[in-house]
Amino acid sequence: MIADLAAQHLPSALPLAMHLSSAWGLRLLRSDLPVNRYFSEVRNDGRLFAGFRGIELEEPNSAPILATQADGGFRFNGTRSRLHLDSRVHVVPVCGRIGHAGGRPEFAFALIPVTAQGVALSRHTDALNAEEAEGTEFVTGDVRLQDVFVPASEAVLFASPEAEGLDNFTLLHRLHVSAIYAGIARSALASARDSAKASHVPQWGLPLSRFPGTQFLVADAAILLETCESQLVTYGSRLNQLFNEQGGDRRLAADTGLLTMEYVVDTTHKILQLAMKITGISSIRSGHPLANLYATLRSPGFDMGQTDSANNRDRIAKAILQEAANV
């Protein structure tokens, strides 16, 4: 669904993907967290959850939010940076450090409405260049928390960032980022296909799609897109096994998710390049669908945590090398 929506209208797909990632993660918490009232607002008022990527296992000390124990609950202070926000986002998942237990950090997870006392939104619009992507923009912002009180009954405690409840958010985030990029790849190939069928070579009087050079480029892009979608299906299947308690392997799912996100993101850029080559010089003109997609991928507002390719590849390599060492 997310890939289909991203192929049709990317600005709508992005906040919805972040919402679904958080909503699914909340359902998997299996805690007494009172989420039903927030889900009621989703159903009745069309409100959305902000995205939550989970806490990176290799960098547990980087949590930007602190949760201080107070009478009857916790007070959260800190900032969640570069969230995709629009008028429908009403609830922000946060996870704050509350101290150390046995030498390891302990965390408190909570849902905080953007209208709660002590919450300040600092919105900024990373608008794409109007000449490159007319009418397209992505809204990102920071959510600053200052002594935001959350009752103890509305917080979930975790002894470590490796806890399954937090890790699930990371797995789901990678799934939805991959789906967004798969939708972009579909849109790019569809635009190039339509252009090749509509464009004619004057001296031959034939559509561009009749020439082998164009056909080979279309085939190359189609092959890459198929591998992206196959990898996405594989990752989704492993998550289903894990979340449905069918004996899924959490480490395998995590490694597959990281590999899937890295591959789909990288391959989408390649498909877009092929699509622009097929379309020709018109693909860089203002307002052209491919020009819009190119500008989107380069926009600083289009950051979902997928851009740290070097760090992602480092983790993939470590997982493979560690597995080989254990054989």
Side-chain angles (χ1 to χ4, degrees):
M1 179 185 72
I2 292 298
D4 291 338
L5 182 58
Q8 298 298 322
H9 193 256
L10 187 56
S12 296
L14 192 55
L16 182 59
M18 298 301 102
H19 164 79
L20 291 176
S21 179
S22 293
W24 195 356
L26 290 171
R27 289 299 190 192
L28 292 169
L29 274 179
R30 297 185 178 88
S31 71
D32 295 328
L33 196 69
V35 299
N36 287 335
R37 73 169 183 267
Y38 296 118
F39 279 106
S40 295
E41 292 177 353
V42 171
R43 290 190 298 269
N44 298 330
D45 303 326
R47 292 176 174 176
L48 302 179
F49 296 110
F52 182 65
R53 304 175 187 176
I55 298 177
E56 297 295 350
L57 304 187
E58 288 78 6
E59 299 176 348
N61 295 323
S62 64
I65 296 174
L66 298 177
T68 305
Q69 290 183 328
D71 186 21
F74 299 90
R75 292 195 178 277
F76 286 80
N77 288 275
T79 301
R80 283 210 58 198
S81 300
R82 299 198 63 80
L83 295 177
H84 288 276
L85 299 173
D86 66 18
S87 59
R88 295 168 295 173
V89 173
H90 183 66
V91 180
V92 180
V94 299
C95 194
R97 178 196 296 271
I98 60 175
H100 289 76
R104 306 188 69 177
E106 189 175 5
F107 297 92
F109 176 88
L111 298 174
I112 297 181
V114 296
T115 54
Q117 184 176 0
V119 176
L121 301 182
S122 177
R123 293 195 175 194
H124 59 276
T125 302
D126 287 309
L128 304 178
N129 187 295
E131 295 181 355
E132 295 178 318
E134 184 178 354
T136 302
E137 62 180 23
F138 295 91
V139 179
T140 61
D142 299 336
V143 178
R144 188 171 68 255
L145 309 176
Q146 184 172 1
D147 286 334
V148 178
F149 179 76
V150 174
S153 61
E154 298 185 13
V156 182
L157 304 185
F158 296 98
S160 76
E162 291 91 345
E164 290 185 3
L166 294 177
D167 186 51
N168 288 339
F169 286 99
T170 303
L171 299 179
L172 291 166
H173 177 76
R174 290 170 181 166
L175 176 68
H176 285 99
V177 168
S178 301
I180 287 285
Y181 270 80
I184 293 173
R186 289 182 192 175
S187 179
L189 180 55
S191 178
R193 178 200 62 206
D194 294 344
S195 176
K197 293 168 66 176
S199 301
H200 284 70
V201 180
Q203 60 266 41
W204 295 97
L206 296 173
L208 194 60
S209 59
R210 294 285 297 274
F211 291 84
T214 300
Q215 294 171 353
F216 292 161
L217 291 175
V218 170
D220 288 342
I223 291 169
L224 290 175
L225 178 58
E226 179 62 27
T227 60
C228 285
E229 296 190 338
S230 296
Q231 185 61 35
L232 192 56
V233 169
T234 297
Y235 181 39
S237 176
R238 288 178 179 170
L239 286 185
N240 279 332
Q241 291 178 355
L242 180 66
F243 294 153
N244 292 329
E245 299 180 350
Q246 298 176 356
D249 186 325
R250 179 167 291 274
R251 178 180 170 184
L252 177 62
D255 291 346
T256 302
L258 190 57
L259 186 150
T260 299
M261 185 175 71
E262 180 67 17
Y263 179 77
V264 175
V265 168
D266 183 64
T267 304
T268 294
H269 283 275
K270 294 178 181 178
I271 292 172
L272 179 57
Q273 290 171 5
L274 288 170
M276 297 181 79
K277 185 179 294 187
I278 293 166
T279 304
I281 192 66
S282 64
S283 66
I284 66 173
R285 292 174 181 164
S286 176
H288 193 283
L290 294 179
N292 291 350
L293 291 178
Y294 179 80
T296 294
L297 295 185
R298 291 173 57 88
S299 168
F302 196 67
D303 178 13
M304 299 174 286
Q306 81 284 7
T307 58
D308 191 4
S309 180
N311 192 34
N312 292 340
R313 289 172 182 263
D314 180 63
R315 295 178 189 174
I316 293 171
K318 285 180 178 178
I320 294 173
L321 293 171
Q322 182 179 358
E323 181 177 325
N326 293 333
V327 174

